[in-house]
Amino acid sequence: DESKVKVATLSDIHSFKEYQQVYNDIAKKIEDEDDFDVDGSAGPNLVRLAWHSAGTYDKYDKNPHTNGGSYGGTMRFSKEGGDGANNGLAKGREFLEPLLKKYTWLSHGDLWTLAGVVAIQEMGGPKIKWRPGRKDLSEEYQAPNGKLPDAAQGPDYVRKFFNRLDFTDREMVALIGAHTLGRCHVTSSGYDGPWDFAPTMFDNGFFTQLQKGVGSGEGQWHLRKWDGPEQYEDNNSNSLMMLPADMALVQDPKFKKIVDEFAASQEAFFNEFAPAFQKLLESGIHFPKESKELVFRTLDEQS
Ligand code: ZEM
C-alpha cells in the first residue's frame, strides 16, 4: 500500500559532503552554461523542473501508482514527460543528465529536486532544507497527465489546486512568488514574457509588480491585445506579464493581503517560501524520523 512505496531509504544515502559536491557541480554548470535561455541562466528552468516533478502529488489519492510527487523521477518517461504542462523541461533534464553519469548512485528525483534548491540559493534566494532518499520508480508510477495547474484559471481554482497538495493560503501565495524567476515561452506554454525585470534574481519582485493590480494608472496591468492566450501586460513597459492565475492573487482579498505583506517584506516572503518549497519537494514521500535535513553552502560562501 501507499505507506510502503515512497519511503526515503536511509541505507542508500550518501554523506553531506557528497551531496554538497553534487550541489557545487550543478551550481558551476549553471554558471558556465550562461546561454541556456533568453535570460542566460538554466536556473529558472531547473526550479520549474523541481516543481513539476513534485507538483503532480494528490493527497486524496492513496494509490502510489497514480498519486504523483517527486519520489520516482517518473517525468523521465514519455507519458509524464509528454504532458503539455511539461513542455520545455526536457531541456533542463538533459542539462542535468551528465550528473547522473558522474554520480551513478543518484536518483532522478533526488537530482531534480536538489537542482531546484541549487538554483534558488545561487540566484539569491533563501536556504532550502533538503533531504535525500528518493528512488527511481518504473513507468507504472507515472502521474496521470493534467495534474499540474492551468494558468487560465482564477482564485477558487488556485486555492483548490494547492489544497490538493496540502498547502495553506500563505504557502501557495509564497510558492507562486517563484515567478520572480524566468519567463513564459510561446514555444512551451503559449504565454510570453517575464514577470519582473530581474528574472535570474530570486527576490520579491513578483509581488511588487503584481501588487499594482489591474487598472489604468501608472505601472498597472491591462489585458494584452494579441492572438495568444489571455495574459496581462504592464502599462509602463509593455514588457512584463502576468498569467490569469497570477492575477488571481490580487483578485481574492485573502490572497491580496498576503501579496501586500510579501511585497513589503522580502524577509516575510523568504520565511514562508523556504519551508513551503521543502514541503512541496517532499510531497507524498515518507521520510524516516532519523533522516537529516541538509543545508547547503552556496558557491559564494565557499570561496
Ligand atoms: Zn510556474 N509557470 N506556475 N510556478 N514557473 C511558468 C513558468 C515558471 C504556473 C504556470 O502556468 C506557469 C509555480 C506555480 C505556477 C516557475 C515556478 C513555479 C509558465 C511558463 C507557466 C505557464 C512556462 C514556459 O512557457 O516556459 C501556474 C498556473 C502556477 C500555479 C497556479 C510554482 C509553485 C513554482 C515554483 C515554486 C518558474 C521558475 C518558471 C519559469 C521557467 C523558465 O523556464 O523560465
Side-chain angles (χ1 to χ4, degrees), residues 10 18 42 59 63 69 76-78 86 108 140 155 167-168 178 194 201 203-204 211 229 235 247 260 269 287 292 299:
L10 292 177
E18 286 170 285
K59 75 171 179 186
N63 179 351
R76 71 189 190 280
F77 297 121
S78 59
N86 289 329
H108 285 81
E140 286 79 56
F167 288 113
T168 64
M201 279 271 299
D203 58 18
N204 65 343
Q211 193 187 34
N235 293 346
M247 211 48 92
D260 289 344
F269 167 46
F287 286 91
K292 287 203 188 69
L299 289 187

Side-chain angles (χ1 to χ4, degrees), residues 44 48 51 149 151 175 178-179 181-185 188-189 195 243 277:
R48 183 165 166 253
W51 133 242
L175 285 172
H179 284 169
L181 297 176
R183 59 171 57 236
C184 295
H185 305 76
S188 297
S189 61
W195 290 268
L243 301 164
F277 194 68

Side-chain angles (χ1 to χ4, degrees), residues 194 197 209 219-222 233-241:
F197 291 113
Q209 289 299 335
Q220 295 181 326
W221 298 88
H222 60 268
E233 165 177 271
D234 74 300
N235 293 346
N236 281 338
S237 70
N238 292 332
S239 67
L240 300 180
M241 73 90 62

